């Protein structure tokens, strides 16, 4: 493979990062929403829910107790993006790869970046759901948060 061909094939990796970007936007949007409602939350907030969907542990309202799920999601998403960025360096190219070996390596790189992006997106959705559910339960005074899916739909 020539250097020009390698450059052309590597150019198509940009769209693979859209899932990482979408995950970051989801977490950021929830964070902005949380900042907007922070003052209206009660002084004691639920921090853990039992199997029935009812809160079973409470903490004083602080930045950490309200935003911990989103901060955790942001950290995991950032870590997965860093790993995805390092993947091309981890899959060493052969000195003189055949066309199949070159496309195989590129497929491994793209597949890994896409899989990590999909994982980031799913993590963002799950953590955002539970953060929003936690904030909703403060307003509903202990009712189960199963109704949140109706709110989001």
């Amino acid at each position: 493979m020539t250097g020009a061909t390698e450059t052309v094939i590597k150019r198509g990796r940009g769209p693979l990062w859209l899932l990482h970007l979408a995950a970051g936007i989801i977490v950021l949007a929830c964070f902005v929403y949380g900042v907007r409602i922070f003052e209206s939350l009660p002084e004691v907030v639920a921090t853990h829910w039992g199997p029935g969907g009812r809160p079973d542990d409470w903490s004083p309202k602080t930045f950490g107790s309200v935003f911990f799920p989103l901060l955790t999601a942001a950290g995991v998403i950032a870590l997965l993006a860093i790993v995805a960025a390092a993947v091309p360096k981890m899959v060493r190219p052969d000195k003189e790869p055949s066309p199949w070996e070159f496309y195989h390596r590129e497929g491994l790189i793209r597949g890994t970046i896409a899989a990590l992006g999909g994982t980031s997106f799913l993590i963002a959705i799950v953590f955002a759901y539970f953060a929003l559910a936690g904030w909703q339960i403060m307003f509903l005074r202990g009712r189960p948060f199963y109704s949140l899916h109706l709110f989001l739909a």
Side-chain angles (χ1 to χ4, degrees):
M1 295 243 108
T2 65
T5 306
E6 290 179 27
T7 303
V8 169
I9 292 174
K10 291 179 182 179
R11 283 191 191 148
R13 293 181 188 168
L16 300 172
W17 290 95
L18 292 177
L19 287 171
H20 291 280
L21 180 63
I25 289 171
I26 289 169
V27 171
L28 182 63
C30 287
F31 186 78
V32 168
Y33 175 71
V35 168
R36 293 189 67 180
I37 67 165
F38 185 79
E39 293 301 321
S40 64
L41 292 174
E43 292 304 314
V44 177
V45 295
T47 54
H48 190 268
W49 292 263
R54 298 198 183 278
D56 60 6
D57 194 18
W58 302 83
S59 297
K61 178 176 75 171
T62 63
F63 180 83
S65 64
V66 173
F67 293 106
F68 182 74
L70 295 178
L71 294 173
T72 302
V76 171
I77 290 167
L79 177 65
L80 291 176
I82 290 168
V83 170
V87 165
K89 302 293 184 212
M90 288 189 248
V91 183
R92 299 241 182 241
D94 292 336
K95 292 190 184 221
E96 292 185 31
S98 68
W100 183 89
E101 290 168 333
F102 180 75
Y103 284 106
H104 180 258
R105 177 181 181 273
E106 189 63 25
L108 286 174
I109 292 169
R110 289 174 186 234
T112 304
I113 293 171
L116 291 174
T119 303
S120 292
F121 185 77
L122 292 175
I123 287 171
I125 294 291
V126 169
F127 276 75
Y129 174 82
F130 285 114
L132 292 172
W135 298 335
Q136 180 192 31
I137 211 164
M138 307 310 159
F139 296 116
L140 298 177
R141 301 287 188 252
R143 292 195 335 237
F145 63 82
Y146 304 126
S147 62
L148 180 66
H149 72 280
L150 298 174
F151 171 72
L152 293 176

